[in-house]
Amino acid sequence: MAEVKRRDFLGMALGGVAAVGGIASLIAMKKTWDPLPSVISAGITTVDLSDMKEGGFSRVVWRGNPVFIIKKSQNDTFNEQRDFKVGDAIYTLGLQICTHLGCIPLYKPSEQEFLCPCHGGRFTIDGINVEGTPPPRPFDIPPFKLEGTILTLGEEGAEYKKMMALV
């Protein structure tokens, strides 16, 4: 058996300590990149749709952004790319942030449209930008999931995936 010299032993010990320290540093760096549990829980917002009346408008906050939810009347048309059904009721939702400059458009129920106060941008009740106005695209749709009448923003459900496949 070969004899290990003192210098070789010290080199191997130092290499082992450096390897353990490097691994511990990588683990610590990864933990700082992971979102905090409070941030993860803030990414989920639940809404009970059963209390909404036909033609009703509701705004909730998801990840610090306003999200509108409208329960359409039975006379309104169903837009497969933007609407979803809960039973016989038709709902539409979107991030209520203008896609032109990021302002928050106001909902005008009498005209059934959103009007952006910054540059006069207009969106339909479905959140689709009106031609000839500054917004370049419709409101974004946040990921959502439906479980009965409970809408969960921040999780991708079947209805959301179906909408995104049509876009």
Side-chain angles (χ1 to χ4, degrees), residues 47-50 84-87 91 145-151 159:
V47 181
D48 187 359
L49 300 174
S50 64
F84 60 94
K85 288 187 176 185
V86 177
Y91 294 87
K145 180 175 78 171
L146 283 171
E147 292 174 331
T149 61
I150 304 297
L151 173 76
E159 293 81 2

Side-chain angles (χ1 to χ4, degrees), residues 3 7 14 16 19 27-29 37 54 56 62 89 99 107 112 114 116 122 125 138 155-157 161:
E3 223 177 279
R7 174 172 267 184
L14 180 62
I27 291 170
M29 284 185 348
E54 190 172 290
W62 173 69
T99 55
Y107 179 59
Q112 287 199 329
F114 292 87
C116 183
R122 292 181 17 232
I125 191 173
E155 294 182 8
E156 291 185 8
K161 289 178 183 176

